[in-house]
Structures are given as structure tokens and as C-alpha cells.
Amino acid sequence: MTPAPGFVVPDSGAAWSPAAPAQPLLGSPPPSPDPAYNWSAGTPAWSLGTFGEPEPFGGVRESGPMGWVRGRVVGAAVCVVLGLGLIGGAAVGSWLSGDGGAEAPASAYEAAGALWHNVPVDQLFPPTVDGKGAGPGGADRVWTRIAVAPDSGCADAVDPLLRRVLAPVGCRRLLRATYTDATQSYVTTVGLLFTKGDPAAMTSLANRFRSEHLDRRTDLLPRPYAAKGTVAATFGDAQRASWTVDVLTDAPVVAFAVSGWADGRTIDTPEPAADAVRGGATSAPAQAGLGNEAQGLADRVERRLRQRVAPATEKPA
């Protein structure tokens, strides 16, 4: 397929290289956590003492004006310490609960980027996926996994031009699986492309996709995984009927899905899922519900991805 006129892409020599690493944040270290939140500590790392009558300075109680002045000084110091403790405790509590407008810990983004080797394949691409209300007109769908692609690099995962568009965020790993519907009439490959990009790079790429409508370009498609010995054996580039590409900004991941007929019929002009699922769409992919197949399956795989890191960052109900 030929790129549309006026489209600017990186130089042909661009490689799948990571974006420049973000500089470490400067400033003082965060306050030490409350021992009550320390899972590994059996006892607190410091003691707050016991409540009781305070001991006098030097072990001797003083009377008269000097004793009164020293008592006031001690009282003021105690108030300052208690005030700082309350402020520090509130700050730690706000960070732990996500209140106060604080950003999510950077570790959540990093944890998402490590899921490709920390999470079993069945938790990202389960054997069956329920798509309640995901079909045309709100019909239910059930997808069955028929093949999982070997854990691999990204060289052949997408069309060459899309590969160049994604080059600024690099490619760390690619996970793909192919599903079929309950009637085995359609096949859909869903993928999670883990990048090397930091949050700023992923946000920049997402903005570019949105402003330039790159998710609707028929020369920027993901490629299917055609597993031999399955109903997807003939699912190649010419059979791609509908697709979706989503650049995440809360994880270093590009999620995608591409669908087609299981009988191997070819498609002259694929239609983006966002167009195929619209009411009144009359194209063959839209009438067959192939936009719903791609969009519905991609949405549910994305949801499972986020659920793997959400428990550490979500606010309590």
C-alpha cells in the first residue's frame, strides 16, 4: 500500500530505538513511610515512647520564673514536633491513597512495562474472552483463543510504515494471540507491543496518532498471526478487514487488533474499526461485524492489562 501524500515519517534509516531516558527527579527524598505500612518489618523502625509524665530538664524540677519559662519552651517544642508529624503523616497518607492530586507512583508505569515477562499468558490472553454487548447492536460475543504467537521481537508485527511511525518509542517485546468467534466465521489477532518509551514519549506518540488520524490509515496496519492447523491458517495481510491501534499513555504499550473472515477471502480496502462500528455503516466489514470483533477484543485485552497494575494504584472504594 502507498503512503498518503504529504505524510511525513522518520528517515528510512530509523531504527526501533528507545526515546531518551527521562532525567531523575531532583529534590529531597520522600518522607519515610509509616511503619504500619511496612509489610516486611515486624516492629516499627523507631519508637514513639510511652505516654506519661514528662521528665524535667536535668532530672530536677525547677520552680520560679526560670522553671515557668523552660516549661513554656518545652511545650512549644512538643507542639512543633506534633504538628510536623501530623503534616508528614497526612502527606504520606495522601500519597498512599492517591488523594491531593498527587500523580501515581512511577513504579506503576514501570510495572506495566514488565508484564510481558512477569505475567502468565493466560492472564493477558485468556483461553476464552466474554464480550457482553460487544457485537453489532449490542449483541454478546464470546471469543476462543486458537493460537498464541511465540514471544518475539517486533520486526514483522506491523506494516513497514507503521513500524517507522512507532520507531521513536522503540520496541521491547511483542505478545500476540489469535481468536475466533463462536461460529468460527471470523478470526482476530490481538497484540500488545511493549515499547521502550517513557511517559512523555508515549504521550507524544498518542497525540500524533490523534491529531494526524494515524489509526485510520490503511497503510499503517498491524499484521495478523496466522497459525498453521487452525481456522486462521490463511489469515494474512490480504485478508485484513478491520483493525484498531491504541497508543497507551499510562503504560509503555501499543495495543492493537486486526480481524478478517476465517474462509480466507481477501479485502481490497480495510476499514478502521471506529468507522465500521458506527450505526448505518454499509461496508462489508461493517455489515459482518468485523469492526466489533477487532474493537471489542482489543478493549477487553487492554482492560486486563490495566487490571494487573491497578490494585497498587487505585483508590479504595
Side-chain angles (χ1 to χ4, degrees):
M1 299 179 185
T2 304
F7 179 64
V8 179
V9 297
D11 293 338
S12 58
W16 290 74
S17 58
Q23 296 297 320
L25 297 177
L26 300 179
S28 56
S32 299
D34 189 325
Y37 295 101
N38 188 343
W39 290 89
S40 61
T43 57
W46 60 86
S47 174
L48 299 179
T50 57
F51 290 102
E53 186 178 5
E55 291 294 328
F57 274 81
V60 178
R61 295 184 183 274
E62 298 187 23
S63 59
M66 289 304 296
W68 180 84
V69 170
R70 292 197 179 199
R72 293 293 297 271
V73 171
V74 171
V78 169
C79 290
V80 170
V81 172
L82 289 176
L84 291 175
L86 291 173
I87 294 172
V92 172
S94 175
W95 181 82
L96 289 171
S97 65
D99 292 334
E103 294 183 359
S107 59
Y109 184 89
E110 296 167 359
L115 290 179
W116 65 270
H117 63 77
N118 290 341
V119 175
V121 65
D122 281 356
Q123 294 185 18
L124 292 177
F125 301 132
T128 59
V129 176
D130 291 329
K132 186 175 180 60
D140 294 341
R141 281 286 194 265
V142 177
W143 296 286
T144 301
R145 192 184 71 200
I146 55 178
V148 176
D151 181 356
S152 68
C154 309
D156 299 320
V158 298
D159 283 346
L161 189 58
L162 179 55
R163 176 180 173 181
R164 292 169 61 186
V165 170
L166 298 176
V169 296
C171 174
R172 188 178 304 279
R173 215 66 178 176
L174 172 67
L175 304 181
R176 290 184 298 173
T178 297
Y179 288 78
T180 188
D181 68 311
T183 65
Q184 296 192 351
S185 299
Y186 315 118
V187 285
T188 303
T189 293
V190 61
L192 296 172
L193 191 157
F194 289 80
T195 77
K196 300 176 183 178
D198 61 15
M202 294 300 292
T203 299
S204 177
L205 182 63
N207 289 338
R208 185 182 180 192
F209 262 78
R210 182 166 50 252
S211 63
E212 300 180 25
H213 307 291
L214 301 185
D215 56 345
R216 297 172 182 271
R217 291 277 301 268
T218 57
D219 51 356
L220 298 173
L221 268 66
R223 287 176 167 168
Y225 174 59
K228 295 180 180 179
T230 71
V231 295
T234 59
F235 188 23
D237 288 356
Q239 284 73 36
R240 294 176 293 185
S242 190
W243 83 98
T244 180
V245 177
D246 189 14
V247 180
L248 308 188
T249 57
D250 53 351
V253 174
V254 176
F256 64 82
V258 57
S259 62
W261 279 276
D263 59 9
R265 75 182 72 175
T266 60
I267 303 296
D268 293 332
T269 306
E271 184 174 29
D275 293 340
V277 299
R278 288 178 178 173
T282 59
S283 67
Q287 292 293 309
L290 287 168
N292 299 83
E293 297 291 309
Q295 189 68 66
L297 193 52
D299 286 348
R300 281 150 185 81
V301 169
E302 278 188 40
R303 195 178 306 165
R304 296 185 70 88
L305 176 77
R306 288 189 167 97
Q307 287 173 348
R308 301 307 306 169
V309 294
T313 58
E314 282 184 344
K315 297 180 182 179

